[in-house]
Amino acid sequence: MSGPLDGIRIIDWTIWQQGPVATQMLADLGAEVIKIEERERGDPGRGIVAISGSGTGRSGLNYYFEANNKHKQSIALDLKKPEACEIVYRLAAKSDVFVQNFRKGVAKRLGFGYAELCKHNPRIIYASASGYGPEGPDSAEPSFDYLGQARSGIMNTIGIDSTTPLYIMGGIADQMGATMLAYGILAALFARERTGVGQEVDASHLGSMMALQGLNVVSRTIMGKEFPRSTREKAYNPLWNHYQCADGKWFSLAMLQPDRYWKDFCAAIGRPDLEIDPRFAETKTRGKNSAALIAILDEVFKARPRDEWMKVLKAGGGDFIYTIVNSVSDLPDDPQVRANNYVVDYEHPQAGKMTLLGMPVKLSVTPGEPRGHAPELGEHTELLLTEMLGYTWDDVARLREANVI
């Protein structure tokens, strides 16, 4: 089955993670993505050898680059040369979207700004992944994931120490910025179908991470205060909390209407006395005495391994809302993950069998395809020049001799 973006061509002039992930997500949906890379070294993401001291290599591959650039074609150019600029213009003339994530002003200075590309393709969607948005005093400042988390406030919403910001591993500001950029590109493509007009799209670390925290931010803007950091030991609603079991594993409760479940819950865990304890009679009193109740529940749940507690809650008759607490390492083997193909197996032509991130969104008729591999640097340069752009093999030889490609 085809993907929903079959027939859409995207020029990807991006590096590192935020931009490449956006175009990779669109490639999963069937778009043709042509990645423009620096002629000698390529995307600097190819050179990432370790993240937080952990190596990124496997069978000669760099998983950081591999994960961010599935399905793409690579063309390697020296963009300081006029002949390379002409190649980009020809690509833009035959494409639907142009994506870049360089600092404000870089693309325009090199001749690849929106106004210039519109001369070659008035219908083009021009998408930029930025740090802090296209306007304002810091719009030209560089940003990486760490700074996106810092500026957006999320580092001050997690952890138990109310004074120390905490970084979340995994590049979530890059991932969220990529998701919002892909969202904007899709909206612009849909608008073009209706109006025939291309436009600029920008998605930033700052704006994307604020959107991720929408409820937190609106609490501040409407109510005048942000949510305080909460600790597990003092959670106001003990049935909206997580607990450790005898085997060291954790599970989470998420009963937002605790009074509805309280009686059945106490019976299920073998502590009917808690139901009649006046300290825990209703939501308000449980909230006032939450630390005492959580300490009791901690002891209760440490008496059995997690699998047993899962069975107890399932059979408890209270229609409880709960699940296990996974580590990232647990996810590929979680049966629910496998059943929905949130990870998929793939036979890589170089590295052999591996497991890739699957599609987070399900489309019944045009589902897309998450299986694929990243290109070698410049792997498709000659193919694109000759078969798409009309260059002859003599042209290719001349361009190679001149170090344009």
Side-chain angles (χ1 to χ4, degrees), residues 108-128:
K108 183 177 180 180
R109 186 169 65 250
L110 292 176
F112 306 132
Y114 178 55
E116 182 62 37
L117 293 191
C118 274
K119 296 176 184 177
H120 301 274
N121 183 353
R123 286 169 48 88
I124 196 123
I125 306 298
Y126 189 96
S128 300

Side-chain angles (χ1 to χ4, degrees), residues 123-346:
R123 286 169 48 88
I124 196 123
I125 306 298
Y126 189 96
S128 300
S130 66
Y132 308 115
E135 307 296 336
D138 294 332
S139 59
E141 294 297 315
S143 178
F144 279 98
D145 177 80
Y146 213 120
L147 303 189
Q149 291 193 38
R151 191 66 176 263
S152 68
I154 199 168
M155 290 172 67
N156 278 312
T157 67
I158 59 173
I160 60 174
D161 178 353
S162 62
T163 64
T164 304
L166 187 63
Y167 176 69
I168 307 170
M169 285 300 299
I172 66 161
D174 276 339
Q175 294 292 131
M176 190 63 191
T179 301
M180 297 306 288
L181 187 63
Y183 164 77
I185 290 168
L186 290 174
L189 285 169
F190 182 72
R192 194 185 67 179
E193 287 299 303
R194 289 185 162 184
T195 67
V197 178
Q199 61 184 299
E200 289 187 84
V201 175
D202 182 279
S204 67
H205 281 145
L206 178 58
S208 299
M209 291 301 288
M210 288 180 68
L212 179 65
Q213 304 171 87
L215 190 60
N216 294 9
V217 176
V218 172
S219 174
R220 168 62 180 84
T221 60
I222 295 179
M223 301 301 295
K225 57 184 179 181
E226 62 183 274
F227 291 118
R229 291 195 196 187
S230 64
T231 63
R232 193 195 71 81
E233 292 79 9
K234 296 181 180 179
Y236 182 80
N237 175 7
L239 298 193
W240 185 274
N241 208 1
H242 50 286
Y243 296 92
Q244 191 173 33
C245 303
D247 52 4
K249 296 179 180 180
W250 294 77
F251 75 97
S252 178
L253 303 173
M255 287 170 263
L256 200 55
Q257 300 169 289
D259 287 344
R260 172 183 170 187
Y261 301 99
W262 183 238
K263 179 179 179 180
D264 290 333
F265 178 78
C266 292
I269 66 172
R271 289 298 303 269
D273 58 301
L274 296 177
E275 184 209 345
I276 59 175
D277 189 317
R279 296 175 298 168
F280 313 134
E282 59 183 3
T283 297
K284 287 184 179 180
T285 57
R286 283 193 297 274
K288 291 178 181 178
N289 298 287
S290 63
L293 178 53
I294 291 168
I296 293 171
L297 294 178
D298 277 343
E299 292 305 311
V300 170
F301 291 126
K302 285 179 180 176
R304 297 189 188 185
R306 186 173 69 184
D307 284 350
E308 288 190 22
W309 282 119
M310 294 298 97
K311 293 175 183 177
V312 166
L313 293 173
K314 189 71 172 178
D319 195 22
F320 305 127
I321 304 173
Y322 62 94
T323 194
I324 60 176
V325 175
N326 273 332
S327 69
V328 173
S329 293
D330 294 327
L331 291 176
D333 300 314
D334 187 314
Q336 194 65 24
V337 169
R338 284 289 179 176
N340 286 284
N341 289 322
Y342 293 146
V343 296
V344 293
D345 294 326
Y346 174 63

Side-chain angles (χ1 to χ4, degrees), residues 9 16 20 32 34 69 83 85 94 97 106 140 151 153 163 166 175 222 262 268 288 300 313 346 359 383-384 388 391:
R9 179 176 293 140
W16 299 116
E32 177 188 2
I34 299 171
N69 292 281
E83 298 94 332
C85 294
K94 292 177 173 287
V97 183
V106 170
R151 191 66 176 263
T163 64
L166 187 63
Q175 294 292 131
I222 295 179
W262 183 238
K288 291 178 181 178
V300 170
L313 293 173
Y346 174 63
M359 299 290 292
L383 178 71
L384 291 168
M388 180 191 296
Y391 286 83

